[in-house]
Protein backbone atom coordinates (compact mmCIF):
# COMPACT_ATOMS: atom_id res chain seq x y z
CA UNK A 1 0.00 0.00 0.00
CA UNK A 2 1.44 3.37 -1.00
CA UNK A 3 2.03 5.79 1.88
CA UNK A 4 -0.02 8.52 0.21
CA UNK A 5 -3.02 6.17 0.26
CA UNK A 6 -2.69 5.40 3.96
CA UNK A 7 -4.70 8.35 5.25
CA UNK A 8 -7.50 7.51 2.81
CA UNK A 9 -7.59 3.93 4.09
CA UNK A 10 -7.83 5.26 7.65
CA UNK A 11 -10.68 7.54 6.60
CA UNK A 12 -12.35 4.60 4.85
CA UNK A 13 -12.14 2.49 8.01
CA UNK A 14 -13.88 5.26 9.96
CA UNK A 15 -16.61 5.41 7.30
CA UNK A 16 -17.15 1.66 7.72
CA UNK A 17 -17.25 1.99 11.52
CA UNK A 18 -19.72 4.85 11.25
CA UNK A 19 -22.00 2.75 9.02
CA UNK A 20 -21.78 -0.27 11.32
CA UNK A 21 -22.07 1.46 14.72
CA UNK A 22 -24.17 4.62 14.40
CA UNK A 23 -27.51 2.85 13.68
CA UNK A 24 -27.41 1.65 17.30
CA UNK A 25 -27.53 5.31 18.39
CA UNK A 26 -30.75 5.92 16.44
CA UNK A 27 -33.98 5.38 18.42
CA UNK A 28 -35.43 2.96 15.87
CA UNK A 29 -32.11 1.71 14.52
CA UNK A 30 -32.75 3.42 11.19
CA UNK A 31 -36.02 1.60 10.52
CA UNK A 32 -38.71 3.88 9.04
CA UNK A 33 -42.19 3.50 7.57
CA UNK A 34 -40.73 2.76 4.12
CA UNK A 35 -38.49 0.11 5.69
CA UNK A 36 -41.56 -1.61 7.15
CA UNK A 37 -43.29 -1.52 3.76
CA UNK A 38 -40.27 -3.30 2.28
CA UNK A 39 -40.33 -5.86 5.11
CA UNK A 40 -44.01 -6.56 4.45
CA UNK A 41 -43.20 -7.32 0.83
CA UNK A 42 -40.33 -9.53 2.01
CA UNK A 43 -42.61 -11.58 4.29
CA UNK A 44 -44.69 -12.98 1.44
CA UNK A 45 -41.88 -13.23 -1.09
CA UNK A 46 -41.96 -14.82 -3.68
CA UNK A 47 -45.72 -14.17 -3.53
CA UNK A 48 -46.22 -10.58 -4.66
CA UNK A 49 -49.05 -8.58 -3.12
CA UNK A 50 -48.19 -5.01 -4.19
CA UNK A 51 -46.13 -3.11 -6.74
CA UNK A 52 -45.71 -0.04 -4.50
CA UNK A 53 -41.97 -0.80 -4.55
CA UNK A 54 -40.04 -3.05 -6.96
CA UNK A 55 -38.89 -6.46 -5.74
CA UNK A 56 -35.12 -6.03 -5.89
CA UNK A 57 -34.58 -4.75 -2.35
CA UNK A 58 -37.07 -7.12 -0.66
CA UNK A 59 -35.38 -9.99 -2.53
CA UNK A 60 -31.97 -8.88 -1.24
CA UNK A 61 -33.29 -8.56 2.32
CA UNK A 62 -34.87 -12.02 2.02
CA UNK A 63 -31.51 -13.55 1.12
CA UNK A 64 -29.81 -12.10 4.20
CA UNK A 65 -32.86 -12.87 6.33
CA UNK A 66 -32.27 -16.56 5.66
CA UNK A 67 -28.76 -16.11 7.08
CA UNK A 68 -29.77 -13.89 10.03
CA UNK A 69 -33.55 -14.04 10.65
CA UNK A 70 -33.80 -10.43 11.72
CA UNK A 71 -34.80 -7.56 9.44
CA UNK A 72 -32.73 -4.95 11.29
CA UNK A 73 -29.48 -6.91 11.16
CA UNK A 74 -30.11 -8.10 7.61
CA UNK A 75 -30.38 -4.54 6.31
CA UNK A 76 -27.39 -3.35 8.32
CA UNK A 77 -25.21 -6.13 6.90
CA UNK A 78 -26.33 -5.15 3.39
CA UNK A 79 -25.34 -1.53 4.06
CA UNK A 80 -21.94 -2.29 5.60
CA UNK A 81 -21.08 -4.71 2.79
CA UNK A 82 -22.14 -2.06 0.27
CA UNK A 83 -19.77 0.54 1.75
CA UNK A 84 -16.94 -2.00 1.92
CA UNK A 85 -17.53 -3.10 -1.66
CA UNK A 86 -17.36 0.44 -3.09
CA UNK A 87 -14.11 1.30 -1.34
CA UNK A 88 -12.33 -2.01 -2.01
CA UNK A 89 -13.58 -2.16 -5.60
CA UNK A 90 -12.29 1.35 -6.34
CA UNK A 91 -8.85 0.49 -4.91
CA UNK A 92 -8.32 -2.79 -6.75
CA UNK A 93 -9.80 -1.48 -10.00
CA UNK A 94 -7.75 1.73 -9.65
CA UNK A 95 -10.97 3.65 -10.14
CA UNK A 96 -10.44 7.05 -8.47
CA UNK A 97 -9.83 5.57 -5.00
CA UNK A 98 -9.07 8.86 -3.26
CA UNK A 99 -12.06 10.59 -4.82
CA UNK A 100 -14.28 7.64 -3.92
CA UNK A 101 -13.28 7.68 -0.24
CA UNK A 102 -13.95 11.41 0.03
CA UNK A 103 -17.32 10.82 -1.63
CA UNK A 104 -18.16 8.14 0.96
CA UNK A 105 -17.77 10.72 3.74
CA UNK A 106 -20.44 12.99 2.25
CA UNK A 107 -23.94 13.16 3.70
CA UNK A 108 -25.58 11.05 0.99
CA UNK A 109 -23.78 7.99 2.33
CA UNK A 110 -25.30 8.59 5.76
CA UNK A 111 -28.34 6.96 4.14
CA UNK A 112 -26.44 3.70 4.71
CA UNK A 113 -27.39 4.07 8.39
CA UNK A 114 -31.02 3.40 7.50
CA UNK A 115 -32.97 0.41 6.21
CA UNK A 116 -33.57 1.94 2.78
CA UNK A 117 -33.26 0.75 -0.80
CA UNK A 118 -30.91 3.67 -1.57
CA UNK A 119 -27.73 1.89 -0.32
CA UNK A 120 -27.85 -1.01 -2.82
CA UNK A 121 -29.03 1.43 -5.49
CA UNK A 122 -25.99 3.69 -4.94
CA UNK A 123 -23.70 0.66 -5.10
CA UNK A 124 -25.21 -0.26 -8.46
CA UNK A 125 -24.99 3.35 -9.64
CA UNK A 126 -21.29 3.37 -8.74
CA UNK A 127 -20.75 0.19 -10.77
CA UNK A 128 -22.62 1.64 -13.74
CA UNK A 129 -20.47 4.77 -13.61
CA UNK A 130 -17.38 2.55 -13.59
CA UNK A 131 -18.49 0.65 -16.69
CA UNK A 132 -19.22 3.84 -18.58
CA UNK A 133 -15.83 5.22 -17.61
CA UNK A 134 -14.26 2.06 -19.01
CA UNK A 135 -16.38 2.40 -22.14
CA UNK A 136 -15.35 5.98 -22.83
CA UNK A 137 -11.73 5.12 -22.04
CA UNK A 138 -11.84 2.44 -24.73
CA UNK A 139 -11.13 -0.34 -22.24
CA UNK A 140 -14.49 -2.08 -22.64
CA UNK A 141 -16.46 -2.56 -25.84
CA UNK A 142 -18.99 -4.97 -27.23
CA UNK A 143 -20.38 -7.73 -25.04
CA UNK A 144 -17.82 -7.03 -22.27
CA UNK A 145 -19.50 -3.67 -21.78
CA UNK A 146 -23.05 -4.28 -22.96
CA UNK A 147 -23.86 -7.34 -20.84
CA UNK A 148 -22.69 -6.16 -17.38
CA UNK A 149 -23.83 -2.56 -17.90
CA UNK A 150 -27.30 -3.69 -19.07
CA UNK A 151 -27.68 -6.09 -16.14
CA UNK A 152 -26.69 -3.33 -13.69
CA UNK A 153 -29.16 -0.90 -15.28
CA UNK A 154 -32.00 -3.43 -15.06
CA UNK A 155 -31.09 -4.24 -11.44
CA UNK A 156 -31.20 -0.53 -10.60
CA UNK A 157 -34.77 -0.37 -11.85
CA UNK A 158 -35.61 -3.53 -9.89
CA UNK A 159 -34.30 -1.88 -6.72
CA UNK A 160 -35.87 1.56 -7.23
CA UNK A 161 -38.34 2.63 -9.89
CA UNK A 162 -36.44 5.92 -10.16
CA UNK A 163 -33.78 3.93 -12.01
CA UNK A 164 -35.86 4.75 -15.08
CA UNK A 165 -34.74 8.37 -14.70
CA UNK A 166 -31.11 7.34 -14.98
CA UNK A 167 -31.91 5.25 -18.04
CA UNK A 168 -33.73 8.26 -19.55
CA UNK A 169 -30.74 10.52 -18.83
CA UNK A 170 -28.33 8.06 -20.45
CA UNK A 171 -30.62 7.77 -23.47
CA UNK A 172 -30.81 11.56 -23.83
CA UNK A 173 -27.05 11.90 -23.55
CA UNK A 174 -26.38 9.31 -26.24
CA UNK A 175 -28.93 10.98 -28.50
CA UNK A 176 -26.87 14.16 -28.11
CA UNK A 177 -23.67 12.11 -28.54
CA UNK A 178 -24.98 10.61 -31.79
CA UNK A 179 -25.97 13.98 -33.20
CA UNK A 180 -22.74 15.69 -32.09
CA UNK A 181 -20.52 13.04 -33.66
CA UNK A 182 -22.75 12.54 -36.71
CA UNK A 183 -23.24 8.85 -36.12
CA UNK A 184 -26.62 8.63 -37.83
CA UNK A 185 -25.52 5.83 -40.16
CA UNK A 186 -23.39 3.86 -37.71
CA UNK A 187 -24.98 4.30 -34.26
CA UNK A 188 -26.54 0.81 -34.45
CA UNK A 189 -23.04 -0.64 -34.50
CA UNK A 190 -22.11 1.10 -31.25
CA UNK A 191 -22.07 -0.66 -27.90
CA UNK A 192 -24.13 2.07 -26.23
CA UNK A 193 -26.99 1.38 -28.64
CA UNK A 194 -27.18 -2.25 -27.56
CA UNK A 195 -26.88 -1.23 -23.92
CA UNK A 196 -29.97 0.95 -24.37
CA UNK A 197 -31.85 -1.81 -26.22
CA UNK A 198 -31.15 -4.63 -23.76
CA UNK A 199 -31.76 -2.39 -20.73
CA UNK A 200 -35.08 -1.29 -22.24
CA UNK A 201 -36.13 -4.91 -22.77
CA UNK A 202 -35.46 -5.73 -19.12
CA UNK A 203 -37.19 -2.61 -17.80
CA UNK A 204 -40.21 -3.00 -20.08
CA UNK A 205 -40.45 -6.67 -19.13
CA UNK A 206 -40.79 -5.76 -15.45
CA UNK A 207 -43.20 -2.92 -16.20
CA UNK A 208 -45.28 -5.37 -18.26
CA UNK A 209 -45.28 -7.80 -15.34
CA UNK A 210 -46.59 -5.05 -13.05
CA UNK A 211 -49.31 -4.09 -15.50
CA UNK A 212 -50.40 -7.70 -15.93
CA UNK A 213 -50.64 -8.33 -12.19
CA UNK A 214 -51.58 -4.93 -10.75
CA UNK A 215 -52.97 -2.95 -13.69
CA UNK A 216 -50.44 -0.15 -13.31
CA UNK A 217 -46.82 0.33 -14.29
CA UNK A 218 -44.70 1.44 -11.33
CA UNK A 219 -47.11 1.42 -8.42
CA UNK A 220 -48.57 4.81 -9.34
CA UNK A 221 -52.13 3.89 -8.33
CA UNK A 222 -50.87 2.90 -4.85
CA UNK A 223 -49.43 6.37 -4.27
CA UNK A 224 -52.17 8.60 -5.61
CA UNK A 225 -51.84 12.33 -6.24
CA UNK A 226 -49.93 14.79 -4.04
CA UNK A 227 -51.71 17.08 -1.60
CA UNK A 228 -52.17 20.42 -3.35
CA UNK A 229 -54.04 22.08 -0.47
CA UNK A 230 -51.08 24.31 0.37
CA UNK A 231 -49.16 24.52 -2.87
CA UNK A 232 -46.91 27.31 -1.59
CA UNK A 233 -45.62 25.32 1.41
CA UNK A 234 -45.33 22.21 -0.75
CA UNK A 235 -43.28 24.04 -3.39
CA UNK A 236 -41.20 25.90 -0.82
CA UNK A 237 -40.09 22.68 0.89
CA UNK A 238 -39.27 21.10 -2.47
CA UNK A 239 -37.26 24.17 -3.46
CA UNK A 240 -35.18 23.90 -0.28
CA UNK A 241 -34.51 20.25 -1.12
CA UNK A 242 -33.48 20.99 -4.71
CA UNK A 243 -30.97 23.73 -3.89
CA UNK A 244 -29.42 21.44 -1.26
CA UNK A 245 -28.35 18.95 -3.94
CA UNK A 246 -24.68 20.02 -3.86
CA UNK A 247 -24.22 20.51 -0.13
CA UNK A 248 -21.85 17.72 0.98
CA UNK A 249 -22.46 18.20 4.71
CA UNK A 250 -25.70 19.94 5.65
CA UNK A 251 -29.22 18.79 4.84
CA UNK A 252 -31.05 20.91 7.43
CA UNK A 253 -34.23 22.65 6.33
CA UNK A 254 -36.00 25.55 8.02
CA UNK A 255 -39.59 25.63 6.78
CA UNK A 256 -41.31 27.53 9.60
CA UNK A 257 -40.16 31.08 10.25
CA UNK A 258 -41.93 31.52 13.57
CA UNK A 259 -39.29 33.89 14.92
CA UNK A 260 -36.61 36.27 13.69
CA UNK A 261 -33.86 33.83 14.64
CA UNK A 262 -35.49 31.01 12.65
CA UNK A 263 -35.82 33.34 9.67
CA UNK A 264 -32.13 34.25 9.96
CA UNK A 265 -31.06 30.59 10.16
CA UNK A 266 -33.25 29.77 7.16
CA UNK A 267 -31.71 32.58 5.10
CA UNK A 268 -28.16 31.51 6.03
CA UNK A 269 -28.86 27.90 4.99
CA UNK A 270 -30.37 29.01 1.67
CA UNK A 271 -27.38 31.27 0.97
CA UNK A 272 -24.96 28.39 1.69
CA UNK A 273 -26.78 26.09 -0.73
CA UNK A 274 -27.05 28.73 -3.45
CA UNK A 275 -23.35 29.60 -3.01
CA UNK A 276 -22.40 25.95 -3.50
CA UNK A 277 -24.51 25.78 -6.66
CA UNK A 278 -22.82 28.96 -7.91
CA UNK A 279 -19.35 27.54 -7.15
CA UNK A 280 -20.29 24.37 -9.03
CA UNK A 281 -21.19 26.25 -12.21
CA UNK A 282 -18.19 28.59 -11.93
CA UNK A 283 -15.88 25.61 -11.43
CA UNK A 284 -17.07 23.87 -14.57
CA UNK A 285 -16.98 27.04 -16.61
CA UNK A 286 -13.65 28.45 -15.44
CA UNK A 287 -11.49 25.62 -14.11
CA UNK A 288 -12.78 22.31 -15.42
CA UNK A 289 -13.99 23.23 -18.91
CA UNK A 290 -11.06 21.68 -20.81
CA UNK A 291 -11.24 18.47 -18.78
CA UNK A 292 -14.96 17.80 -19.21
CA UNK A 293 -14.85 14.66 -21.32
CA UNK A 294 -17.75 12.56 -22.60
CA UNK A 295 -17.66 10.69 -19.29
CA UNK A 296 -18.21 13.87 -17.27
CA UNK A 297 -20.84 15.10 -19.69
CA UNK A 298 -22.73 11.86 -19.05
CA UNK A 299 -22.46 12.29 -15.26
CA UNK A 300 -23.73 15.86 -15.49
CA UNK A 301 -26.60 14.77 -17.70
CA UNK A 302 -27.61 12.03 -15.27
CA UNK A 303 -27.46 14.43 -12.32
CA UNK A 304 -29.50 17.18 -13.95
CA UNK A 305 -32.07 14.95 -15.65
CA UNK A 306 -32.61 12.87 -12.51
CA UNK A 307 -33.15 16.03 -10.48
CA UNK A 308 -35.62 17.38 -13.05
CA UNK A 309 -37.54 14.11 -13.10
CA UNK A 310 -37.79 14.08 -9.31
CA UNK A 311 -39.24 17.59 -9.37
CA UNK A 312 -41.79 16.42 -11.96
CA UNK A 313 -42.62 13.37 -9.84
CA UNK A 314 -43.32 15.54 -6.80
CA UNK A 315 -46.24 17.15 -8.62
CA UNK A 316 -47.64 13.97 -10.15
CA UNK A 317 -47.35 11.39 -7.35
CA UNK A 318 -47.77 11.35 -3.58
CA UNK A 319 -44.18 10.80 -2.52
CA UNK A 320 -41.84 12.19 0.12
CA UNK A 321 -40.87 15.87 -0.16
CA UNK A 322 -37.55 16.36 -1.96
CA UNK A 323 -34.75 15.72 0.52
CA UNK A 324 -31.23 14.32 0.59
CA UNK A 325 -32.71 10.85 0.29
CA UNK A 326 -34.90 11.66 -2.71
CA UNK A 327 -32.09 13.15 -4.81
CA UNK A 328 -29.02 11.29 -3.50
CA UNK A 329 -28.66 9.58 -6.89
CA UNK A 330 -28.30 13.00 -8.51
CA UNK A 331 -25.95 14.32 -5.82
CA UNK A 332 -23.81 11.20 -6.19
CA UNK A 333 -22.84 11.71 -9.84
CA UNK A 334 -22.46 15.49 -9.51
CA UNK A 335 -20.21 15.17 -6.45
CA UNK A 336 -18.18 12.39 -8.07
CA UNK A 337 -17.59 14.41 -11.23
CA UNK A 338 -16.43 17.44 -9.22
CA UNK A 339 -14.08 15.36 -7.06
CA UNK A 340 -12.47 13.66 -10.08
CA UNK A 341 -11.94 16.96 -11.88
CA UNK A 342 -10.65 18.76 -8.79
CA UNK A 343 -8.06 16.05 -8.10
CA UNK A 344 -6.97 16.25 -11.73
CA UNK A 345 -6.85 20.05 -12.03
CA UNK A 346 -5.52 20.89 -8.56
CA UNK A 347 -3.35 17.93 -7.43
CA UNK A 348 -1.37 20.15 -5.03
CA UNK A 349 -4.50 21.32 -3.20
CA UNK A 350 -6.26 18.04 -2.56
CA UNK A 351 -5.62 18.35 1.19
CA UNK A 352 -8.57 20.71 1.33
CA UNK A 353 -10.89 18.01 0.00
CA UNK A 354 -9.48 15.57 2.53
CA UNK A 355 -10.21 18.08 5.28
CA UNK A 356 -13.71 18.52 3.87
CA UNK A 357 -14.18 14.73 4.02
CA UNK A 358 -13.06 14.64 7.66
CA UNK A 359 -15.39 17.52 8.57
CA UNK A 360 -18.31 15.89 6.78
CA UNK A 361 -17.68 12.57 8.53
CA UNK A 362 -17.37 14.21 11.96
CA UNK A 363 -20.51 16.28 11.42
CA UNK A 364 -22.58 13.23 10.47
CA UNK A 365 -21.37 11.42 13.59
CA UNK A 366 -21.92 14.36 15.94
CA UNK A 367 -25.37 15.05 14.48
CA UNK A 368 -26.48 11.63 15.73
CA UNK A 369 -24.62 11.21 19.00
CA UNK A 370 -25.56 14.70 20.23
CA UNK A 371 -28.95 13.18 21.13
CA UNK A 372 -27.99 9.52 21.48
CA UNK A 373 -30.58 6.82 21.93
CA UNK A 374 -29.91 3.19 22.76
CA UNK A 375 -31.61 1.18 20.02
CA UNK A 376 -30.85 -2.13 21.70
CA UNK A 377 -32.40 -0.93 24.97
CA UNK A 378 -35.47 0.38 23.13
CA UNK A 379 -35.72 -2.90 21.25
CA UNK A 380 -35.40 -4.92 24.45
CA UNK A 381 -38.44 -3.12 25.92
CA UNK A 382 -40.46 -3.78 22.76
CA UNK A 383 -39.46 -7.45 22.66
CA UNK A 384 -40.48 -7.85 26.30
CA UNK A 385 -43.89 -6.29 25.61
CA UNK A 386 -44.44 -8.48 22.54
CA UNK A 387 -43.52 -11.66 24.41
CA UNK A 388 -46.19 -10.92 26.98
CA UNK A 389 -48.76 -10.16 24.25
CA UNK A 390 -48.32 -12.79 21.54
CA UNK A 391 -51.79 -12.12 20.10
CA UNK A 392 -50.93 -8.52 19.16
CA UNK A 393 -52.14 -7.43 15.70
CA UNK A 394 -52.25 -3.65 16.13
CA UNK A 395 -50.16 -0.83 17.55
CA UNK A 396 -51.71 2.32 19.01
CA UNK A 397 -49.75 5.48 19.79
CA UNK A 398 -51.49 6.67 22.96
CA UNK A 399 -48.80 9.25 23.75
CA UNK A 400 -49.03 12.96 22.97
CA UNK A 401 -45.47 13.43 21.77
CA UNK A 402 -44.26 15.45 24.72
CA UNK A 403 -41.12 13.32 24.85
CA UNK A 404 -40.07 14.85 21.52
CA UNK A 405 -39.78 18.41 22.81
CA UNK A 406 -36.27 19.82 22.52
CA UNK A 407 -34.49 23.14 22.99
CA UNK A 408 -31.44 24.40 21.12
CA UNK A 409 -29.29 27.04 22.79
CA UNK A 410 -27.57 29.30 20.28
CA UNK A 411 -24.00 30.13 21.38
CA UNK A 412 -22.84 33.72 21.92
CA UNK A 413 -26.38 35.10 21.99
CA UNK A 414 -29.03 34.60 24.61
CA UNK A 415 -31.48 32.80 22.34
CA UNK A 416 -33.25 29.45 22.50
CA UNK A 417 -35.21 27.55 19.88
CA UNK A 418 -37.92 25.16 20.98
CA UNK A 419 -38.91 22.46 18.52
CA UNK A 420 -40.28 18.93 18.30
CA UNK A 421 -37.93 16.18 17.16
CA UNK A 422 -40.28 13.57 15.72
CA UNK A 423 -37.46 11.01 15.67
CA UNK A 424 -37.27 10.79 19.46
CA UNK A 425 -41.01 10.61 20.13
CA UNK A 426 -41.46 7.19 21.75
CA UNK A 427 -44.69 6.51 19.87
CA UNK A 428 -42.81 6.89 16.60
CA UNK A 429 -39.66 4.89 17.22
CA UNK A 430 -41.52 2.18 19.14
CA UNK A 431 -43.84 1.80 16.15
CA UNK A 432 -40.89 1.21 13.82
CA UNK A 433 -39.20 -1.21 16.22
CA UNK A 434 -42.46 -3.14 16.68
CA UNK A 435 -43.20 -3.37 12.96
CA UNK A 436 -39.53 -4.02 12.22
CA UNK A 437 -39.76 -7.11 14.42
CA UNK A 438 -43.28 -8.08 13.34
CA UNK A 439 -44.11 -6.31 10.04
CA UNK A 440 -47.64 -7.79 10.03
CA UNK A 441 -48.62 -5.58 13.01
CA UNK A 442 -50.61 -2.57 11.82
CA UNK A 443 -50.78 0.97 13.14
CA UNK A 444 -54.29 2.16 14.07
CA UNK A 445 -55.38 5.76 14.56
CA UNK A 446 -57.92 4.86 17.27
CA UNK A 447 -58.79 1.78 19.29
CA UNK A 448 -62.58 2.15 19.37
CA UNK A 449 -63.25 -0.24 16.50
CA UNK A 450 -61.12 -3.06 17.94
CA UNK A 451 -63.28 -5.08 20.34
CA UNK A 452 -60.54 -7.36 21.61
CA UNK A 453 -58.13 -4.93 23.29
CA UNK A 454 -55.66 -7.76 23.83
CA UNK A 455 -54.86 -7.51 20.13
CA UNK A 456 -53.63 -3.95 20.63
CA UNK A 457 -50.17 -3.04 21.89
CA UNK A 458 -50.35 0.44 23.36
CA UNK A 459 -47.25 2.58 23.30
CA UNK A 460 -47.70 3.28 27.01
CA UNK A 461 -47.35 -0.45 27.69
CA UNK A 462 -43.74 -0.43 26.42
CA UNK A 463 -41.69 0.36 29.52
Amino acid sequence: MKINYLKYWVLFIFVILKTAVLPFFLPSGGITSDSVDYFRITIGFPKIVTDLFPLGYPFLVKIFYYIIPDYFYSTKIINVLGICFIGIFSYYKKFFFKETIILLTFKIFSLFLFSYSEPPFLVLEYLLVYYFYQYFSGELKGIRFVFPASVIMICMFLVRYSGIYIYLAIGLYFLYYTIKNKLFKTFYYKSYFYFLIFSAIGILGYVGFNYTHFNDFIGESSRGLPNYNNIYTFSHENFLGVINVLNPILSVKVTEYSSSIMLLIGIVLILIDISLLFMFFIGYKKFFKREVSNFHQLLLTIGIVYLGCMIFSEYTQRIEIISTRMICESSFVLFFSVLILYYKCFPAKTKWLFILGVISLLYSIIAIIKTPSNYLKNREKVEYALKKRKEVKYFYRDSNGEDGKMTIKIPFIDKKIDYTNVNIISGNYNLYIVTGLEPSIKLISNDKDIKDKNQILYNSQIK
Side-chain angles (χ1 to χ4, degrees):
M1 185 189 302
K2 295 180 180 178
I3 191 67
N4 61 340
Y5 280 87
L6 181 60
K7 65 180 181 180
Y8 288 91
W9 274 105
V10 172
L11 192 60
F12 180 41
I13 290 171
F14 276 102
V15 170
I16 295 172
L17 290 174
K18 165 197 162 183
T19 307
V21 175
L22 280 193
F24 295 96
F25 289 86
L26 295 169
S28 68
I31 296 174
T32 67
S33 58
D34 278 357
S35 307
V36 176
D37 285 334
Y38 279 115
F39 298 160
R40 286 171 178 160
I41 297 173
T42 303
I43 288 175
F45 199 86
K47 183 179 179 181
I48 305 165
V49 295
T50 178
D51 65 340
L52 176 64
F53 297 119
L55 297 176
Y57 185 57
F59 174 72
L60 189 60
V61 173
K62 190 77 170 183
I63 292 174
F64 283 88
Y65 187 81
Y66 281 127
I67 302 170
I68 299 178
D70 185 290
Y71 292 111
F72 169 79
Y73 288 108
S74 296
T75 58
K76 299 316 162 191
I77 291 172
I78 290 170
N79 294 352
V80 172
L81 289 178
I83 285 288
C84 292
F85 175 82
I86 290 175
I88 295 171
F89 179 89
S90 69
Y91 180 77
Y92 282 101
K93 290 292 185 178
K94 296 180 174 58
F95 183 58
F96 303 112
F97 175 71
K98 295 178 180 180
E99 296 87 331
T100 296
I101 300 305
I102 299 301
L103 180 65
L104 291 177
T105 66
F106 287 179
K107 67 180 182 184
I108 56 174
F109 283 91
S110 289
L111 293 170
F112 280 63
L113 304 179
F114 298 87
S115 301
Y116 290 150
S117 60
E118 279 79 6
F121 189 93
L122 288 175
V123 173
L124 290 169
E125 188 173 9
Y126 184 82
L127 281 174
L128 189 66
V129 168
Y130 166 78
Y131 274 99
F132 272 108
Y133 178 78
Q134 294 294 95
Y135 173 74
F136 285 121
S137 300
E139 297 294 325
L140 290 178
K141 298 285 185 181
I143 192 67
R144 294 177 60 235
F145 164 75
V146 173
F147 179 74
S150 300
V151 170
I152 292 168
M153 185 69 257
I154 294 168
C155 287
M156 290 174 72
F157 182 75
L158 294 179
V159 172
R160 290 185 61 77
Y161 287 131
S162 59
I164 192 67
Y165 300 153
I166 290 181
Y167 176 80
L168 174 63
I170 294 172
L172 289 174
Y173 176 73
F174 278 115
L175 176 62
Y176 159 78
Y177 182 82
T178 301
I179 295 172
K180 177 186 175 183
N181 295 287
K182 299 179 181 179
L183 301 175
F184 307 107
K185 296 181 179 180
T186 59
F187 72 89
Y188 45 83
Y189 291 118
K190 303 296 181 181
S191 298
Y192 70 78
F193 174 73
Y194 291 97
F195 160 81
L196 292 172
I197 292 295
F198 290 130
S199 297
I201 292 172
I203 291 171
L204 289 174
Y206 190 80
V207 168
F209 170 84
N210 275 352
Y211 187 78
T212 301
H213 287 76
F214 302 103
N215 205 33
D216 60 7
F217 299 107
I218 53 174
E220 61 273 11
S221 61
S222 301
R223 299 185 191 90
L225 296 174
N227 186 357
Y228 297 117
N229 291 337
N230 194 334
I231 192 68
Y232 170 77
T233 301
F234 179 71
S235 298
H236 175 63
E237 292 184 8
N238 280 321
F239 168 75
L240 295 179
V242 170
I243 64 172
N244 190 247
V245 66
L246 288 172
N247 193 323
I249 301 175
L250 300 174
S251 57
V252 181
K253 287 183 181 181
V254 175
T255 57
E256 295 183 7
Y257 310 107
S258 54
S259 64
S260 57
I261 190 66
M262 293 297 288
L263 177 62
L264 178 61
I265 293 173
I267 292 173
V268 170
L269 292 173
I270 290 173
L271 289 176
I272 290 173
D273 286 343
I274 291 177
S275 297
L276 289 170
L277 286 170
F278 181 74
M279 290 168 60
F280 175 83
F281 288 114
I282 291 297
Y284 271 91
K285 185 176 180 180
K286 187 175 181 180
F287 302 114
F288 303 150
K289 188 175 182 179
R290 293 182 180 179
E291 303 295 337
V292 179
S293 61
N294 291 324
F295 171 69
H296 289 284
Q297 289 176 1
L298 176 62
L299 295 189
L300 292 174
T301 303
I302 292 173
I304 294 169
V305 171
Y306 191 98
L307 187 61
C309 289
M310 284 308 307
I311 296 171
F312 175 78
S313 296
E314 283 292 330
Y315 291 89
T316 55
Q317 298 182 64
R318 186 184 291 273
I319 56 177
E320 181 183 328
I321 292 291
I322 288 179
S323 60
T324 296
R325 180 189 172 195
M326 298 300 289
I327 55 175
C328 66
E329 297 87 349
S330 182
S331 298
F332 167 78
V333 287
L334 297 178
F335 281 143
F336 200 33
S337 179
V338 169
L339 288 171
I340 293 170
L341 290 172
Y342 187 95
Y343 268 80
K344 186 173 184 178
C345 296
F346 305 105
K349 298 181 179 180
T350 55
K351 66 177 182 180
W352 297 111
L353 282 183
F354 187 85
I355 292 171
L356 175 64
V358 172
I359 292 173
S360 180
L361 183 62
L362 288 175
Y363 176 84
S364 63
I365 293 172
I366 293 170
I368 290 177
I369 64 174
K370 68 179 176 62
T371 54
S373 182
N374 191 327
Y375 164 74
L376 293 177
K377 187 176 181 180
N378 295 338
R379 173 175 167 142
E380 184 181 5
K381 294 177 182 179
V382 169
E383 287 178 326
Y384 181 73
L386 287 174
K387 284 180 181 178
K388 293 199 307 181
R389 308 280 304 283
K390 294 183 179 180
E391 69 279 17
V392 169
K393 295 181 179 179
Y394 308 99
F395 180 83
Y396 181 61
R397 290 185 288 208
D398 57 339
S399 56
N400 55 18
E402 287 299 319
D403 49 355
K405 300 293 183 182
M406 296 191 68
T407 299
I408 296 178
K409 294 181 180 180
I410 302 176
F412 308 115
I413 60 175
D414 188 21
K415 290 287 185 180
K416 297 180 180 179
I417 299 175
D418 296 319
Y419 73 104
T420 299
N421 186 341
V422 296
N423 295 316
I424 63 172
I425 295 175
S426 63
N428 287 351
Y429 66 74
N430 280 335
L431 165 66
Y432 298 138
I433 295 174
V434 167
T435 49
L437 292 169
E438 299 291 343
S440 59
I441 295 176
K442 297 179 180 179
L443 173 68
I444 54 174
S445 57
N446 67 77
D447 60 347
K448 296 179 181 178
D449 298 329
I450 310 298
K451 294 181 180 180
D452 184 0
K453 304 303 181 186
N454 289 323
Q455 294 182 343
I456 305 173
L457 176 61
Y458 291 88
N459 184 62
S460 58
Q461 294 172 331
I462 302 174
K463 298 178 182 179

